Amino acid sequence: MTTAQSQTAARGPAIQVQGVQKSFGELQVLRGVDFDVAAGSIFALLGSNGAGKTTLVRILSTLLKADAGTATVHGFDVAAKPGDVRESISLTGQFAAVDEILTGRENLVLVARLRHLADPGAVADELLARFSLTEAGGRRAGTYSGGMRRRLDIAMSLIGDPPIIFLDEPTTGLDPQARIEVWETVKKLAQGGTTVLLTTQYLDEAEQLADRIAILHQGTIIQNGTLAELKQLLPPAKVEYVEKQPSLEDVFLSLVGATGTEKES
Ligand SMILES: Nc1ncnc2c1ncn2[C@@H]1O[C@H](COP(=O)(O)OP(=O)(O)OP(=O)(O)O)[C@@H](O)[C@H]1O
Ligand SMILES: [Mg+2]
């Protein structure tokens, strides 16, 4: 555990959101959003297109000011201490920050230099290994598949070991195999003590990854619980005896092979 992570534990929830509101002109996007994220957990914010997920992530990462309400990240108020918040987080946006002209390794070295780390080359090599990109590290990122690019993007966001990371739709646009690779990455991060807040439109992504799931709908959190708690909201399914057909996803994955290796999916 890094010093930063143990400090979070001492402070309680890694993220606290209370009564956050945000409008764009006449459009009320967030109408009073409340939730907490426990340190070291994976929290999924689920919502349809336009629900306000990115807006909320931008508020929590200090890129946008809320109209009302409070939010603290790693114990720091986002409005009063934006600099401290920024030092405690990383943000991987809906659109990757990877430079296509540079190689994977050069992208990582660049970020490590910007963060004034002692040995940028060693930092880059460690992350390439962790994200199964060692072989691809010497190639221009422009030649990477979507999954490789997203893994590189997440690797870049981890430089400097931020205790909290925001992943805005980490797997949108990826094929099923690449999605599984990103999921494995996110699970490993949380096992290492990092707090993860991710947004997604995919129910199965939340189901696979999240310790808690909150549903953002029409400006508020309409449900917040563990997967088991959310499932209890529906009456138990009627027991029916049917032959179980594989899903299209099962078939696709068994044909292409769902491995976590350096595949150019
Ligand atoms: N800067 C802005 N100015 C005006 N309207 C905005 C702005 N940013 C977001 N909106 C609007 O706010 C609403 C919420 O947008 P947001 O990007 O937060 O949704 P989202 O849940 O992230 O959607 P998606 O799943 O498509 O990424 C949308 O109707 C969007 O058009
Ligand atoms: Mg969005």
Side-chain angles (χ1 to χ4, degrees):
M1 213 184 227
T2 65
T3 317
Q5 280 160 10
S6 56
Q7 277 169 4
T8 309
R11 285 191 189 116
I15 301 169
Q16 279 186 297
V17 181
Q18 279 167 352
V20 165
Q21 297 182 25
K22 182 73 193 175
S23 298
F24 296 106
E26 296 288 284
L27 181 69
Q28 276 186 293
V29 177
L30 304 176
R31 300 163 180 252
V33 171
D34 304 283
F35 62 86
D36 286 358
V37 179
S41 70
I42 304 180
F43 186 89
L45 192 63
L46 200 62
S48 335
N49 280 135
K53 304 181 295 297
T54 298
T55 301
L56 192 56
V57 166
R58 294 185 68 210
I59 290 170
L60 295 178
S61 53
T62 76
L63 298 175
L64 191 67
K65 279 196 165 37
D67 299 336
T70 57
T72 62
V73 172
H74 200 53
F76 300 113
D77 186 284
V78 292
K81 302 261 184 229
D84 292 314
V85 171
R86 275 183 230 130
E87 281 183 14
S88 314
I89 63 164
S90 79
L91 168 62
T92 301
Q94 219 165 341
F95 307 101
V98 169
D99 184 317
E100 305 202 343
I101 308 290
L102 300 181
T103 67
R105 190 171 185 280
E106 286 166 346
N107 267 288
L108 291 164
V109 168
L110 180 68
V111 178
R113 286 228 175 94
L114 292 173
R115 304 230 162 153
H116 307 293
L117 297 190
D119 191 347
V123 171
D125 290 333
E126 187 269 323
L127 283 165
L128 288 170
R130 212 162 122 198
F131 287 84
S132 309
L133 289 168
T134 301
E135 255 174 67
R139 266 178 31 212
R140 284 179 43 200
T143 67
Y144 287 11
S145 69
M148 294 165 81
R149 207 178 285 215
R150 202 63 64 92
R151 296 208 305 275
L152 177 63
D153 196 27
I154 295 174
M156 284 163 65
S157 76
L158 294 182
I159 291 174
D161 281 327
I164 299 172
I165 78 165
F166 296 110
L167 299 172
D168 194 11
E169 302 203 18
T171 66
T172 296
L174 299 185
D175 65 42
Q177 188 179 325
R179 294 178 73 206
I180 289 173
E181 291 171 12
V182 170
W183 289 350
E184 293 307 320
T185 304
V186 174
K187 284 181 192 164
K188 277 191 221 150
L189 280 180
Q191 282 160 9
T194 306
T195 306
V196 180
L197 185 151
L198 65 92
T199 75
T200 185
Q201 305 176 37
Y202 302 121
L203 300 155
D204 60 337
E205 181 152 293
E207 194 161 350
Q208 280 288 326
L209 286 180
D211 297 305
R212 289 188 81 81
I213 300 164
I215 301 173
L216 179 63
H217 185 64
Q218 295 181 343
T220 61
I221 302 291
I222 56 164
Q223 285 299 338
N224 177 351
T226 62
L227 181 62
E229 285 166 357
L230 294 184
K231 282 190 170 170
Q232 278 179 358
L233 296 172
L234 294 180
K238 237 187 356 180
V239 179
E240 286 178 62
Y241 296 94
V242 291
E243 221 174 295
K244 187 177 181 299
Q245 299 292 333
S247 68
L248 182 58
E249 186 158 307
D250 296 334
V251 175
F252 178 87
L253 289 173
S254 79
L255 290 176
V256 300
T259 55
T261 53
E262 284 178 47
K263 282 253 171 75
E264 314 214 7
S265 41

